[in-house]
């Protein structure tokens, strides 16, 4: 099992298969997840930042931001650097996946 560490340099993640590394689960995104964890007892966070209307085959979606949503921003992730830092682990994962697919193919062919 691979573990995840947050990387402050890239604002992304680092994959690890080391037993010494502690696993950090992904951060909650939706207010329901924050409520489930009990953060609503401590924080007053905006529960609605945007609405989407008109999402169907015949109509383009229309995004309507609330005042809280207009103040939010995204933090950029350096994908290239994050990939470079994870290259060794990704190569191991790739090889494990190829071995798995080959073994399944041999078993059922």
């Amino acid at each position: 099992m691979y573990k995840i560490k947050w990387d402050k340099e890239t604002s992304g993640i680092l994959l690890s298969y080391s037993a010494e590394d502690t696993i950090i689960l992904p951060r909650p995104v939706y207010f329901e997840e924050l409520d489930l964890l009990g953060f609503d007892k401590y924080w007053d966070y905006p529960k609605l930042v945007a609405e989407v209307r008109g999402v169907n085959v015949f109509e383009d979606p229309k995004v309507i931001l609330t005042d809280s949503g207009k103040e939010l921003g995204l933090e950029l992730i350096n994908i290239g650097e994050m990939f470079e830092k994870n290259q060794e682990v990704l190569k191991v994962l790739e090889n494990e996946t190829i071995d798995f697919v080959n073994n399944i193919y041999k078993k059922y062919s």
Side-chain angles (χ1 to χ4, degrees), residues 2-15:
Y2 292 89
K3 298 182 179 183
I4 298 170
K5 296 189 295 185
W6 296 111
D7 182 24
K8 291 181 182 179
E9 291 179 17
T10 64
S11 298
I13 60 169
L14 292 173
L15 298 174

Side-chain angles (χ1 to χ4, degrees), residues 20-71:
E20 292 91 40
D21 290 332
T22 57
I23 189 165
I24 299 175
L25 298 174
R27 298 173 276 200
V29 175
Y30 302 104
F31 77 86
E32 294 92 346
E33 295 173 298
L34 294 168
D35 286 353
L36 183 65
L37 295 170
F39 283 102
D40 57 326
K41 295 174 188 150
Y42 306 101
W43 294 344
D44 182 25
Y45 44 86
K47 294 194 178 207
L48 181 66
V49 295
E51 289 183 62
V52 179
R53 295 189 183 149
V55 182
N56 61 54
V57 176
F58 305 107
E59 191 178 351
D60 288 337
K62 182 177 180 185
V63 177
I64 303 163
L65 294 176
T66 65
D67 289 338
S68 298
K70 292 175 183 174
E71 297 173 7

